[in-house]
Amino acid sequence: MREEAVCLGENGSLVGVVTLPPAKPKSDIAFVLLNAGLIHRVGPKRLYVRLARALASLGFIVLRFDLSGLGDSDYRRDDLPEEESVRRDVRQAMDFLNQEKDVKGFVLMGICAGSVISFILASEDPRVVGAGLIDPADFGASVLLGISASKETEASHYFRTVSSTPLTMKRILRFSSGRSNYSRAFASLWTRFRRLVRGDRSVTAAGEFVSTRIRSLTQRGTRLLLMYTERGDSLDFVRLVLGHERNIPGLGGLLSLRVIIGADHDFTLPSAQEELLAIVKEWSSHFFQTPETLAIGERGTTAILSSEKD
Amino acid sequence: MSARRVRPFYFGPPSRRIFACYHEPLPGVARDLGVVLCYPMGDEYLLSHRTFRRLATQLSQNGFAVLKFDYYGCGDSAGDPEESNVATCIEDIAAAASELQRRHGCRKIGFVGLRLGATLCYVASASVQRDVYALILWEPVVQGGPYLDDLEASYAKRVRDLQLTPGVNEGNYFGYPVSQRMQTDLRQLDLRNFRAKPAENVLILTYDDETPPTRGLVSGLEREGVTCRCDRVVGSRFWVQDVNRVLVPKPTIDSILHWIFEIG
């Protein structure tokens, strides 16, 4: 396995690291890891480095790089809106891999904001043959459509957390001692009450957005892996807008869903980190093909697809 | 658009590749002092990345060649954290200083270190790295033992708050493995025990200059004949904040620049 520091994009303003397999790549599909929020290209708990090395050891080329203004990448000096800037950066990263490493297809992957960008770009760029989404928040509904279900998601997360915690004397004492977060409790109750009384169009619209986008992606033959941390609130979003994660369209076909039990959004526990790596490594085996053979395979092989059902 | 003046690269032998970013000084104002930035570790490394980038940019725009690098087993560098200990970090700091001098040709070397990075560059300056001209210790970890104790306590609190259930062997420091050797090294580390002169000029930036460890460090340096200044930092400890809410501490960066200009 080898690692190369690279400058890519316009004027080489984007900084990244390409991880190469020890021998000739076993696939002309490469993985691209996108910034988790404001964290630079190493990822939370250095997970992107470990993911890149694990995938490279299997025979893939992996690029992890910083979007404009993040990590060591330069700020853009034009007036491009942020969403467009992100799109351009990711496309330039794919162009770079195509020109420099002869890569034909791409799997975009990221945690949190990185997974939202992966999802959006996957639905817009036909070169993307797969997307690995780790805690994908609202899949970009708030950015693209201005639909926000964040308060409802926060309330759902609050109630799930509270109900999963055993009622002990310590908790009761804490609640009555003035040390609890009462404003959060009240806000969650109010959100739920308002939703019961008025209904919530934003939740319905967000659900439609997610379903439609996922359906069109899987119909195009794009393989999706949705990974949720049990303690994160992305799982609450999907439960809120679709009723249950089982209702995600395409599940069992080109879409795989995994919930990492006991994991928090930051992957604090090493066991959660290991599980994430194992899931991604297993899923990556689908991409030991060229984009062309992958497309033919998806149209003709139902046996493989149904065997993925959890 | 101006030509890019940041060069990411790897250096060192194939078995020990170190990632670095070289910030080339602005032509016309180049100075004879090269500055190596030494990161802290764990989540503090992630949280300080943006601040270090800003510091590197400002230093290079003012004529200083800057190298920021990741220790072996950390960040983009090769290896795993389990392979890292205090001695390997010191080696990396010395290698980074040599690399900067090789690239830029500067005769004088300065270090800026934050938290454990400050501790490590202090040890490097007091042991292997000779003739360090400027040393900036930003909230240095003076004693390794209490630092590890704090990390363990914060980790235990996080596990409790999030109701996580670590396995039997999952004692760790916020999701980062720390080798047994590193733990032992840090527990034995106390900067006040070093009797060598680490640098010609030392600036200590701290949130509380009245703590016994800081006062002990300053008086020890003065005994060694070091020109030492201790400034109190205002603002929040950005390395313990939410990563998406961290603000770059511009006043502290300005203080560093002013001091470096002052000492020449």
Side-chain angles (χ1 to χ4, degrees), chain A residues 37-40 69-73 75, chain B residues 23 37 39 44-58 68 114 138 238 241-249 253:
Chain A
L38 298 183
I39 298 175
H40 73 289
L70 298 181
D72 290 303
S73 292
Y75 294 94
Chain B
H23 289 246
L37 305 189
Y39 281 109
E44 293 180 358
Y45 158 75
L46 289 182
L47 290 157
S48 59
H49 191 273
R50 200 143 52 107
T51 296
F52 268 39
R53 177 196 152 160
R54 172 73 75 89
L55 176 61
T57 304
Q58 290 202 211
K68 65 191 180 66
L114 173 68
W138 190 344
F238 60 90
Q241 292 175 338
D242 177 341
V243 70
N244 292 318
R245 294 196 172 93
V246 169
L247 295 174
V248 171
I253 290 176

Side-chain angles (χ1 to χ4, degrees), chain A residues 115-277:
Chain A
S115 67
V116 171
I117 298 166
S118 300
F119 184 67
I120 293 171
L121 262 292
S123 55
E124 294 175 356
D125 195 314
R127 292 177 296 175
V128 180
V129 296
L133 316 177
I134 306 157
D135 275 352
D138 68 355
F139 291 80
S142 54
V143 177
L144 294 181
L145 299 181
I147 302 166
S148 177
S150 59
K151 279 184 184 167
E152 290 79 3
T153 303
E154 161 67 16
S156 298
H157 184 67
Y158 177 79
F159 286 117
R160 180 163 67 95
T161 309
V162 167
S163 61
S164 67
T165 313
L167 189 65
T168 58
M169 188 53 76
K170 198 175 167 188
R171 271 186 74 200
I172 296 166
L173 287 173
R174 185 184 164 84
F175 188 79
S176 51
S177 68
R179 286 183 295 143
S180 282
N181 190 344
Y182 300 110
S183 60
R184 190 181 173 208
F186 179 76
S188 300
L189 276 169
W190 174 249
T191 304
R192 183 150 284 191
F193 171 74
R194 202 184 50 181
R195 209 178 140 221
L196 279 170
V197 174
R198 289 181 15 195
D200 202 324
R201 277 176 296 176
S202 65
V203 169
T204 316
E208 277 169 19
F209 168 83
V210 172
S211 297
T212 310
R213 288 255 169 166
I214 288 179
R215 206 172 286 122
S216 77
L217 267 171
T218 49
Q219 279 168 359
R220 196 184 78 195
T222 311
R223 193 173 281 278
L224 294 175
L225 170 63
L226 292 183
M227 284 166 283
Y228 286 101
T229 56
E230 189 194 15
R231 301 278 188 254
D233 62 4
S234 290
L235 193 58
D236 297 286
F237 171 82
V238 85
R239 285 177 180 169
L240 176 78
V241 300
L242 296 176
H244 196 280
E245 56 270 26
R246 279 194 301 267
N247 300 333
I248 299 174
L251 193 60
L254 288 184
L255 187 142
S256 309
L257 175 95
R258 300 292 289 269
V259 178
I260 304 176
I261 302 298
D264 63 316
H265 186 60
D266 290 334
F267 287 91
T268 303
L269 296 181
S271 56
Q273 298 174 18
E274 295 304 326
E275 193 172 346
L276 172 73
L277 290 172

Side-chain angles (χ1 to χ4, degrees), chain A residues 7 11-12 15 17 38 40-41 45-46 53 64 71-75 165 231 262 264 266 268-271 273, chain B residues 1 4 8 19 43 45 49 53 68 73-79 155 158 162-164 170 172 174-175 244:
Chain A
C7 289
N11 304 305
V15 172
V17 173
L38 298 183
H40 73 289
R41 61 194 173 272
K45 312 294 177 199
R46 208 181 179 224
R53 289 176 185 174
R64 44 193 182 80
D72 290 303
S73 292
D74 220 343
Y75 294 94
T165 313
R231 301 278 188 254
D264 63 316
D266 290 334
T268 303
L269 296 181
S271 56
Q273 298 174 18
Chain B
M1 193 183 281
R4 186 166 170 78
F19 177 86
D43 275 347
Y45 158 75
H49 191 273
R53 177 196 152 160
K68 65 191 180 66
C74 301
D76 286 309
S77 287
Y155 174 66
R158 183 167 174 79
L162 288 170
Q163 299 164 30
L164 302 174
E170 282 202 289
N172 73 85
F174 278 90
N244 292 318

